Amino acid sequence: MNAPEKYTVRVFWQKRGNARYISHLDTQRAITRALIRSGLPLYYSQGFNPHPKLVFALPVSIYQEALYDVFDIDLCERLPSDTVYERLSAVMPSDMPVIKAAYPKKKLKELRYASYEITLETDLSAEEVLSRFAGEVTVEKKSKSKTENVDISPMIKSLSAKQRDGAVLLKAVLSAASDAYLNPKYLVDFLGGEVRYSQTVRTALLDGHLKLLD
Amino acid sequence: MNTDRIKHILARVEKPGRYTGGEYGELIKDKSKVEVRMAFCFPDTYEIGMSNLGMRILRHCLNKKDYLWCERCYAPWTDMEAEMRREGVPLYALESGDDIKDFDIVAFTLQYELSYTNAVNMLDLAGIPIYASERGEEWPLVIAGGPCAYNPEPMSDFIDVFSIGEGEETLCALADLYRECKKNGVKKADFLKKAAGIRGMYVPSLYEVSYNEDGTIKDFRPKEEGVPAAVEKAFVTDLDGVDFPTEHEMPYLETVHDRMVLEVFRGCIRGCRFCQAGTVCRPVREKSPETLDAQARELYKNTGYSEVSMCCLSISDYTRLRELIDKMLLWTEKERVNISLPSMRIDSFYRELMEKAMNVRQSGLTFAPEAGTQRLRDVINKNLTEEEILKGCEAAFDGGRSALKLYFMNGLPTETDDDIRGIASLAQRIVDLYYSEKRGSPKGVSVSISVSCLVPKPFTPFQWFPQDTADELLRKQMLLKECITSRKISYSYHDGKVSFLEAVFARGDRRLSAAIAEAVRQGQRFDSWDELFDYDRWMGVFEKVGIDPAFYANRRIGFDEKLPWDHISCGVSKEFLIKEAKKALEGVTTPDCRTRCSGCGMQNRGCTVCKGGEKQ
C-alpha cells in the first residue's frame, strides 16, 4: 500500500506566562486545534481514529515555562517554512507563540540536555544553594509503580547560581535524553522547605554536543 | 490577566488553568476606552460555565458595544476559595484580573437551583454586600437571568434586577440605560425604576408581599405607581437575524461540552407536562439551514474543533433537519468533522443517516420514556408508545448497536407501584427483544436505566402537584431495584434529598432568601456536587431560619392559590396550565403544536407553528 507523501516541519515555540499553568495534555489539545485553525495541509495518521501528527521534543511540565521548545508536525505538501510559520503563528494562543518554523536539521531523538533558569525565593544565598548540590543529590522519585530514592547528581551536567533581585537564580543543564530525563523540579524538591516559591524556565533544548536542537 | 499576585496560590491549587484566563480567542478591550465594566458570572466551575451557550451568546451581544467590556468569572473550587480568603484576594474577572467589586455591573446566570449558594458566595468572596438593600451607590449593580429567573423570588433579596426570558435584546437595552444613567449621575433607585420599564426586567425591591396565616401568599403588588404589575418575558422573534457568536475563547481545560455548539431552534412543540423549558421557551422558532451551515463553517474555522453538536430541545422536531445535514456533510466529511445529534429519535431518517454518513454520531443511544406504563406516559403527555420504543430498539439492534440507555422519572402525579414495575418490565422486554434473534455482540445486550425524581417546576402543569417525600422516593427506588432481575439491566437513580432541595427552591418564595444566606454563612456551596451536598446541614439551616421546606416541596397547591411567580408571565397562560393539569389527572393527552394548536396563549404572541411556522 502506498502511503501518501509527508513532510515533517519543525515548529519552534514558547510556552510562557499563564500558559505555564496548563498541563501537557491540555497543551497538546490546544496546539492540535491551532493546527486545524491554521488551515495547513495536515497529514493525518492512517488509523481508525485519524488525527494530525504532533510530536513534542520534550513535554513541558505544568508550572514551567519554555523559551526554546520544538514540536514536529507532518504536512502533505512541502510548503516554504515561512508559510508554515505565518499560518500557525496567526492562530496560536498568545502565551504559546511560534518563533519560527524550519525543516529539521537534527532528529528529535538527538536531544540529550535541556538548560534551565530556576528562580528561587529563599533565604539561602547563591553560594549556599550551590554547596547543597556539591555531593550526592538524593531525592525521592515517584513513578506509577514505585517510589525510590535516587542520586540525581550524574544527571546534572552543570550548575551555577547567583543573586538576582532578592532571589537566587539557579542555572542548570540537566539530562533530557529519552531514557534519562531529569525534571528540574527535583532540584527544587531537594532544597525542600527552604524554598518558598520557585519559577522554572526551560531556556534551550540541546544535543550531545550542547548545541541547540534545530 | 497578570497573575503575579496569585502565583503562590496557583502553585497550591488543583487545575490552576481555571483561574488564569489567557485562552485563545479571549476578548481584551482597552480599559481606558470603555465606560461600563461588566462581569458575567457563572456560579459553578470553569469547566461547566465555559460550556454554557447562553452566557456565550449574551457576552457576545454585549461586547459588540464599544462602550462596554463584559468579562468572565466562574466560581472558584473550594481549594481556591480557601486560598483566596486566606490571602485576602477578592473575586476577580478572568480577562483583566480586576476585582469584580470595582465593576459597574455584576451579572449571574441561574441555570439550576442548586447553584444559588454559589452565586451568593461569589458576591461575598468579591467583597460585595450580598443583600441588595445593603448596596449603596458605590457598589455594582447585581443582575441575574437564566431559566431559574422564571421564579426569581428565592434569590430576590440578593439581586437588583432580574432579566426574564431571552436577553439578547433586553440586556443590551439595560446596558444602554445604565450607561446613560451613569453619565448623568442618576441615582440607583431612579435607575431601577427606569429599568423596570424595559421588557422582561423585574426589580424585586419595587414589590411587596403579604402572607396569609397558613403561609400562602395573600397579596403581591408594586410598591408604587408606574411599576408594572406583571413582568412579561422577553424573546427574540427572528433567530436567523439574531447575533450568534462564531468565535469564542478556546478553553485549555477539557470542558463539559468541548466542541462546537450550534443552536438549531428554540422552543418545543411537544408539551410534556413536567418540562419547564417546553413551556417557557415557546414559541418554536427555527434557524434556516443556510444560516446554520454558515455559522458552523465559521465556528470550525475559528475554533478548530472536530465535532459539532446540535443544540435544541428535540433535534428530530427540526423541520429541515435533512436539508441541514446534507448541506453540512458537503464539507464536514472532507474536514473530518463529526456531527453529533443528541437525543435523536430512532426513525427511518436516523437509519438512513447511519447508513450513508460515517461521521454523523449519536452520542450514545438513548430513549426517554420517562414513565414505565402507557397510562402514566399519557398523564405526563409523553407522546411515545411502547411500540415506538421497541421498534426503535429493534432498528438499533439491527444496525449493530447493543447498548442503550433509558431515562425515567419517579414521583410523577398519580404514579402507582404498577408504574414502577412497568419500568422494569419495559427494560426486560427490550432485553428479550435483543435475544429474540441471533445477534453479533459477544457481550450481549446492555440496557441501563437512569431514574430521576420529579421536581415540580413553575410554569408547568405539574407546578401545583406535591413532590413525593424523599422517603417515598427511596421506597419506589428500592421497589424498582427488586423488580429488576436481568443482569443485562443496570440501574441508577438520583438522590431524592437533592431533588427535594431543588423542589424547595423551584417553588420557593422570598422568604427563602434567608435560608440561602444562612447556608452560605455556614459554608454550604456547590450543592449540585455530590461530595459537597450536605442534606443535614440544610435541614439545620431551615430550622434556624424558621422555614418548613416541606411547605414548598411536598404540598399540594390549590389552583386558586396565589403563586410566588404569578407576577411573571412566560406567555403561556395559567388557564392553559390548569387545563393541562386536569387533563393529566384524567390521563388525557394533548397533541403537539404542529398537529393542532392547543391555545396555550402564545398564539396571541406571534406563534405560527400550527400554520407551518412561517414568519410574521
Side-chain angles (χ1 to χ4, degrees):
Chain A
M1 199 179 102
N2 277 337
E5 290 284 333
K6 61 176 176 181
Y7 304 91
T8 301
V9 183
R10 182 155 300 165
V11 178
F12 297 79
W13 69 297
Q14 297 182 333
K15 188 168 183 258
R16 65 184 193 202
N18 289 345
R20 71 179 185 272
Y21 297 112
I22 305 305
S23 71
H24 178 62
L25 199 68
D26 291 341
T27 303
Q28 254 179 318
R29 207 171 34 233
I31 292 177
T32 301
R33 284 171 187 157
L35 289 172
I36 295 174
R37 288 194 295 268
S38 74
L40 287 167
L42 303 172
Y43 177 92
Y44 277 75
S45 65
Q46 305 289 303
F48 178 72
N49 183 18
H51 51 273
K53 191 82 177 297
L54 172 64
V55 183
F56 289 82
L58 184 64
V60 192
S61 295
I62 190 166
Y63 299 122
Q64 297 176 13
E65 293 177 84
L67 297 182
Y68 179 100
D69 227 83
V70 303
F71 59 77
D72 285 358
I73 57 173
D74 285 351
L75 301 180
C76 306
E77 288 169 45
R78 195 180 163 90
L79 294 178
S81 54
D82 282 355
T83 307
V84 177
Y85 164 73
E86 279 157 28
R87 303 260 287 268
L88 194 51
S89 66
V91 292
M92 285 286 277
S94 57
D95 284 338
M96 295 184 181
V98 171
I99 304 307
K100 66 169 181 176
Y103 285 90
K105 294 185 186 149
K106 292 171 188 156
K107 294 202 167 83
L108 285 182
K109 63 181 185 203
E110 289 176 51
L111 173 70
R112 287 294 175 277
Y113 299 102
S115 62
Y116 301 89
E117 290 189 5
I118 308 171
T119 307
L120 303 167
E121 282 181 20
T122 175
D123 293 330
L124 298 173
S125 69
E127 291 71 34
E128 283 170 318
V129 168
L130 269 189
S131 67
R132 298 289 159 101
F133 291 99
E136 276 191 9
V137 182
T138 303
V139 297
E140 200 173 77
K141 263 191 151 181
K142 275 187 195 143
S143 69
K144 268 172 206 137
S145 51
K146 57 183 183 219
T147 302
E148 54 181 354
N149 289 324
V150 184
D151 174 19
I152 56 169
S153 58
M155 297 163 90
I156 303 174
K157 177 81 175 166
S158 68
L159 211 54
S160 70
K162 62 177 178 186
Q163 298 302 133
R164 193 169 74 183
D165 304 332
V168 173
L169 179 70
L170 189 63
K171 287 190 175 186
V173 177
L174 307 178
S175 172
S178 59
D179 56 348
Y181 166 62
L182 178 62
N183 191 321
K185 82 184 176 78
Y186 288 113
L187 302 189
V188 181
D189 283 359
F190 179 69
L191 295 170
E194 288 177 295
V195 176
R196 288 185 299 274
Y197 180 76
S198 69
Q199 203 152 318
T200 300
V201 181
R202 192 154 86 200
T203 49
L205 297 175
L206 307 165
D207 67 8
H209 307 288
L210 296 179
K211 298 272 189 267
L212 285 175
L213 187 78
D214 52 4
Chain B
M1 64 175 278
N2 184 333
T3 50
D4 273 356
R5 74 166 170 169
I6 51 168
K7 66 179 186 185
H8 295 92
I9 295 181
L10 291 175
R12 293 191 291 261
V13 297
E14 254 180 68
K15 300 192 191 176
R18 286 167 163 173
Y19 310 114
T20 60
E23 307 92 332
Y24 176 79
E26 180 188 58
L27 183 78
I28 302 290
K29 291 194 181 187
D30 182 349
K31 277 194 256 190
S32 66
K33 294 203 175 103
V34 296
E35 298 163 54
V36 178
R37 298 282 301 273
M38 185 164 170
F40 212 120
C41 304
F42 192 100
D44 212 313
T45 61
Y46 174 89
E47 292 93 319
I48 294 176
M50 275 293 281
S51 300
N52 188 265
L53 185 62
M55 174 163 161
R56 186 178 291 162
I57 292 173
L58 292 175
R59 286 202 308 116
H60 168 77
C61 292
L62 289 160
N63 274 321
K64 289 191 85 174
K65 296 181 175 294
D66 288 334
Y67 71 79
L68 185 144
W69 186 15
C70 179
E71 303 181 46
R72 296 166 295 153
C73 184
Y74 304 96
W77 190 247
T78 50
D79 59 344
M80 182 65 176
E81 185 195 338
E83 295 282 355
M84 289 168 74
R85 288 192 186 274
R86 204 163 53 93
E87 306 264 328
V89 176
L91 193 68
Y92 56 86
L94 285 187
E95 281 83 357
S96 63
D98 291 340
D99 299 346
I100 69 166
K101 69 173 186 312
D102 300 325
F103 279 50
D104 295 295
I105 304 174
V106 173
F108 287 95
T109 174
L110 303 174
Q111 298 285 324
Y112 29 89
E113 293 83 5
L114 297 189
S115 66
Y116 290 173
T117 50
N118 275 4
V120 174
N121 188 47
M122 283 171 84
L123 284 176
D124 185 61
L125 186 59
I128 298 171
I130 62 169
Y131 289 108
S133 60
E134 289 172 9
R135 291 192 296 263
E137 305 290 331
E138 71 275 32
W139 295 105
L141 178 76
V142 178
I143 65 176
C148 285
Y150 279 101
N151 177 16
E153 292 306 290
M155 286 290 284
S156 60
D157 280 5
F158 315 112
I159 305 295
D160 296 314
V161 187
F162 286 95
S163 162
I164 315 289
E166 297 165 2
E168 281 108 326
E169 292 158 354
T170 51
L171 263 190
C172 288
L174 186 74
D176 287 344
L177 177 69
Y178 184 93
R179 177 201 197 193
E180 200 55 38
C181 290
K182 185 181 179 186
K183 228 188 262 174
N184 298 323
V186 174
K187 294 271 178 254
K188 198 174 208 165
D190 296 323
F191 165 80
L192 290 176
K193 261 177 257 170
K194 287 174 196 275
I198 298 174
R199 188 187 171 115
M201 295 298 159
Y202 167 57
V203 180
S205 60
L206 297 180
Y207 298 80
E208 57 192 352
V209 203
S210 58
Y211 300 93
N212 295 309
E213 266 183 29
D214 63 1
T216 56
I217 291 171
K218 187 175 176 192
D219 197 22
F220 187 101
R221 64 172 74 226
K223 283 181 189 165
E224 49 195 288
E225 265 182 55
V227 177
V231 178
E232 185 101 12
K233 82 163 180 200
F235 63 97
V236 298
T237 47
D238 178 13
L239 270 201
D240 276 331
V242 79
D243 257 314
F244 186 79
T246 51
E247 50 187 329
H248 54 78
E249 306 80 9
M250 290 296 293
Y252 287 114
L253 304 187
E254 202 164 6
T255 56
V256 183
H257 300 294
D258 211 0
R259 58 187 79 97
M260 294 176 259
V261 181
L262 210 51
E263 188 186 23
V264 180
F265 69 100
R266 289 184 191 170
C268 183
I269 60 168
R270 296 279 151 186
C272 300
R273 291 177 177 135
F274 54 84
C275 179
Q276 187 189 46
T279 313
V280 299
C281 300
R282 290 182 184 205
V284 169
R285 288 146 293 154
E286 296 190 339
K287 279 190 192 174
S288 70
E290 293 75 26
T291 304
L292 288 166
D293 184 57
Q295 290 175 346
R297 285 170 189 260
E298 275 295 300
L299 267 171
Y300 175 65
K301 203 180 86 203
N302 295 328
T303 63
Y305 277 128
S306 44
E307 182 177 354
V308 57
S309 174
M310 307 283 178
C311 172
C312 57
L313 291 169
S314 160
I315 186 71
S316 300
D317 290 330
Y318 178 50
T319 52
R320 298 170 74 184
L321 184 59
R322 179 184 298 264
E323 228 180 307
L324 173 65
I325 301 284
D326 284 345
K327 255 186 200 312
M328 289 180 64
L329 284 175
L330 291 177
W331 61 275
T332 53
E333 298 221 297
K334 191 171 110 282
E335 300 286 345
R336 299 177 170 85
V337 170
N338 286 311
I339 300 173
S340 118
L341 299 166
S343 66
M344 177 139 164
R345 217 173 306 134
I346 316 290
D347 53 14
S348 53
F349 177 51
Y350 172 84
R351 285 197 291 276
E352 185 190 318
L353 262 185
M354 290 301 107
E355 277 160 28
K356 80 169 176 192
M358 281 303 287
N359 68 346
V360 177
R361 277 190 191 170
Q362 230 252 345
S363 46
L365 204 51
T366 55
F367 288 97
E370 308 292 1
T373 60
Q374 195 56 46
R375 185 199 69 79
L376 195 54
R377 282 195 292 275
D378 288 345
V379 167
I380 63 177
N381 203 41
K382 185 87 200 183
N383 288 304
L384 180 65
T385 64
E386 180 157 328
E387 197 195 338
E388 283 168 318
I389 297 168
L390 293 176
K391 261 176 86 174
C393 291
E394 185 155 33
F397 293 154
D398 289 346
R401 310 290 290 261
S402 62
L404 63 104
K405 198 163 184 178
L406 300 169
Y407 289 102
F408 294 97
M409 229 181 259
N410 270 170
L412 293 164
T414 77
E415 185 178 56
T416 66
D417 286 359
D418 281 341
D419 297 308
I420 306 288
R421 292 185 195 102
I423 295 174
S425 46
L426 177 58
Q428 187 60 49
R429 274 197 289 283
I430 292 169
V431 171
D432 295 344
L433 176 72
Y434 183 87
Y435 289 110
S436 65
E437 271 184 55
K438 252 191 132 53
R439 300 187 199 269
S441 170
K443 274 192 260 169
V445 70
S446 139
V447 176
S448 66
I449 52 186
S450 169
V451 186
S452 63
C453 314
L454 173 75
V455 176
K457 292 266 189 172
F459 301 105
T460 68
F462 288 173
Q463 65 182 351
W464 293 279
F465 294 126
Q467 185 185 49
D468 274 352
T469 61
D471 286 344
E472 174 65 359
L473 287 166
L474 187 63
R475 187 192 69 78
K476 288 177 174 174
Q477 288 163 346
M478 291 305 114
L479 171 65
L480 178 52
K481 196 173 182 176
E482 281 167 28
C483 297
I484 297 168
T485 48
S486 167
R487 292 174 64 187
K488 299 293 173 193
I489 303 172
S490 63
Y491 167 45
S492 66
Y493 51 89
H494 288 205
D495 182 353
K497 289 174 173 171
V498 174
S499 307
F500 172 70
L501 197 65
E502 285 179 294
V504 171
F505 288 108
R507 301 205 299 181
D509 57 35
R510 283 188 176 200
R511 292 169 291 190
L512 283 171
S513 285
I516 297 169
E518 178 59 24
V520 171
R521 236 185 325 264
Q522 293 192 19
Q524 199 51 44
R525 28 199 138 297
F526 290 103
D527 292 297
S528 58
W529 294 71
D530 282 349
E531 63 266 49
L532 293 173
F533 177 74
D534 188 339
Y535 179 77
D536 293 336
R537 176 141 74 184
W538 268 107
M539 292 308 108
V541 164
F542 286 126
E543 204 179 320
K544 185 162 179 204
V545 298
I547 284 175
D548 172 18
F551 173 81
Y552 298 102
N554 307 125
R555 192 169 62 91
R556 170 72 199 244
I557 300 174
F559 287 134
D560 54 352
E561 201 179 305
K562 245 186 175 329
L563 301 170
W565 52 91
D566 268 351
H567 54 289
I568 306 289
S569 164
C570 72
V572 171
S573 71
K574 198 168 175 180
E575 294 71 45
F576 172 76
L577 295 176
I578 291 176
K579 206 165 76 187
E580 282 292 297
K582 289 179 176 165
K583 281 171 85 176
L585 294 177
E586 295 159 9
V588 179
T589 59
T590 299
D592 70 70
C593 302
R594 269 187 203 126
T595 306
R596 196 181 71 218
C597 174
S598 304
C600 69
M602 288 314 290
Q603 74 276 14
N604 309 322
R605 290 172 168 83
C607 179
T608 58
V609 170
C610 59
K611 301 185 191 84
E614 70 267 15
K615 282 169 194 161
Q616 286 191 322

